[in-house]
């Protein structure tokens, strides 16, 4: 059975505890054996025994970061083959940990349109042949359209295009919103979607997350 560590909590604006209910159902459907924690001190241990780590930690403070030992344990486990999945606020978590963001593949700058329920935006499938995007076509989301600093090594799966309504100089700018990558022997998957629980439960996004988690998990 696949062993998963699910970390969630922090800032309540991203509803981590409500999202946890959805995540439990998703992981149960995948047949995972799950250990949950809402304390980042769970990372102060040997994490190599997990097949996948899922991070839905949302920073309460911009200064919040991983300790050197937590960063080393997390990145070391992924390098050794533990998969890693995060979404939305995970791209802005642990601001002080440069290596965490290098592993993840991005650091969130801003969301010019604000909360997406007032401004749904398009998601375009870049690679429809990847296992994570199988069966998914272009769609629109009402989340937060993240503008990010992204790693050129990311294998981009979804991207969006800014329309310039809120920052005219961004009109036409394409921006990755979901990708995979490798960190050593570990697989990494990130999606910028998920500001609202309704974002994650929408069929294209839920399928993306289910397939992304399955893809990233260490295979026995």
């Amino acid at each position: 059975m696949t062993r998963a560590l699910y970390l969630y909590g922090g800032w309540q604006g991203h509803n981590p505890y409500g999202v946890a209910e959805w995540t439990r159902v998703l992981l149960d459907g995948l047949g995972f054996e799950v250990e949950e924690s809402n304390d980042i001190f769970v990372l102060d241990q040997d994490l190599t025994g997990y097949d996948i780590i899922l991070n839905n930690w949302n920073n309460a403070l911009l200064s919040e970061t991983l300790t050197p030992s937590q960063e080393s344990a997390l990145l070391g486990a992924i390098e050794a083959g533990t998969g890693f999945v995060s979404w939305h606020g995970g791209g802005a978590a642990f601001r002080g940990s440069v290596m965490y963001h290098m592993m993840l593949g991005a650091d969130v700058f801003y969301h010019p349109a604000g909360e997406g329920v007032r401004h749904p935006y398009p998601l375009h499938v870049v690679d429809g042949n990847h296992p994570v995007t199988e069966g998914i076509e272009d769609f629109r989301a009402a989340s937060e359209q993240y503008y990010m600093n992204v790693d050129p090594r990311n294998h981009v799966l979804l991207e969006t295009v800014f329309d310039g309504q809120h920052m005219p100089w961004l009109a036409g700018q394409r921006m990755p919103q979901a990708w995979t990558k490798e960190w050593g022997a570990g697989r990494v998957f990130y999606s910028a979607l998920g500001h609202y629980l309704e974002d994650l439960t929408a069929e294209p996004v839920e399928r993306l997350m289910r397939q992304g988690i399955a893809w990233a998990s260490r295979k026995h």
Side-chain angles (χ1 to χ4, degrees):
M1 182 174 286
T2 301
R3 291 190 66 210
L5 173 63
Y6 176 38
L7 173 65
Y8 63 95
W11 184 59
Q12 297 302 297
H14 282 155
N15 189 21
Y17 294 92
V19 169
E21 296 290 336
W22 166 83
T23 311
R24 290 184 190 107
V25 174
L26 200 68
L27 296 178
D28 184 65
L30 289 167
F32 288 6
E33 177 187 342
V34 183
E35 177 183 333
E36 295 185 11
S37 178
N38 46 42
D39 190 333
I40 61 175
F41 289 105
V42 73
L43 301 179
D44 281 308
Q45 61 172 310
D46 181 0
L47 302 170
T48 56
Y50 295 105
D51 299 301
I52 188 167
I53 297 169
L54 300 99
N55 176 42
N56 187 32
W57 187 264
N58 301 269
N59 273 18
L61 301 171
L62 289 178
S63 60
E64 195 167 40
T65 189
L66 298 174
T67 66
S69 63
Q70 290 166 350
E71 182 182 85
S72 177
L74 176 61
L75 271 63
I78 301 167
E79 185 177 352
T82 298
F84 185 82
V85 169
S86 190
W87 59 93
H88 199 59
F94 314 132
R95 289 288 197 181
S97 176
V98 173
M99 295 304 293
Y100 166 82
H101 288 280
M102 185 175 180
M103 175 275 297
L104 186 68
D107 196 353
V108 176
F109 285 154
Y110 194 51
H111 41 82
E115 296 182 356
V117 69
R118 298 191 297 270
H119 188 76
Y121 58 91
L123 278 301
H124 305 291
V125 177
V126 177
D127 182 359
N129 295 318
H130 196 282
V132 177
T133 50
E134 182 180 356
I136 298 173
E137 299 180 348
D138 293 358
F139 62 97
R140 297 183 71 84
S143 184
E144 288 173 332
Q145 192 181 27
Y146 272 178
Y147 193 94
M148 298 176 282
N149 182 23
V150 295
D151 187 340
R153 292 184 59 251
N154 295 344
H155 182 89
V156 178
L157 302 176
L158 295 179
E159 68 178 10
T160 191
V161 180
F162 285 83
D163 61 15
Q165 179 179 345
H166 302 274
M167 291 183 175
W169 53 93
L170 295 182
Q173 178 63 54
R174 309 184 81 84
M175 179 62 56
Q177 296 291 290
W179 56 80
T180 61
K181 63 181 302 185
E182 285 77 38
W183 185 265
R187 291 177 166 185
V188 177
F189 168 67
Y190 175 77
S191 168
L193 298 161
H195 180 67
Y196 300 104
L197 179 59
E198 291 79 6
D199 304 337
L200 294 166
T201 57
E203 170 50 30
V205 182
E206 185 164 281
R207 180 166 188 156
L208 179 80
M209 293 304 303
R210 184 187 305 110
Q211 293 175 172
I213 293 168
W215 175 86
S217 302
R218 188 202 321 256
K219 306 300 180 185
H220 296 283

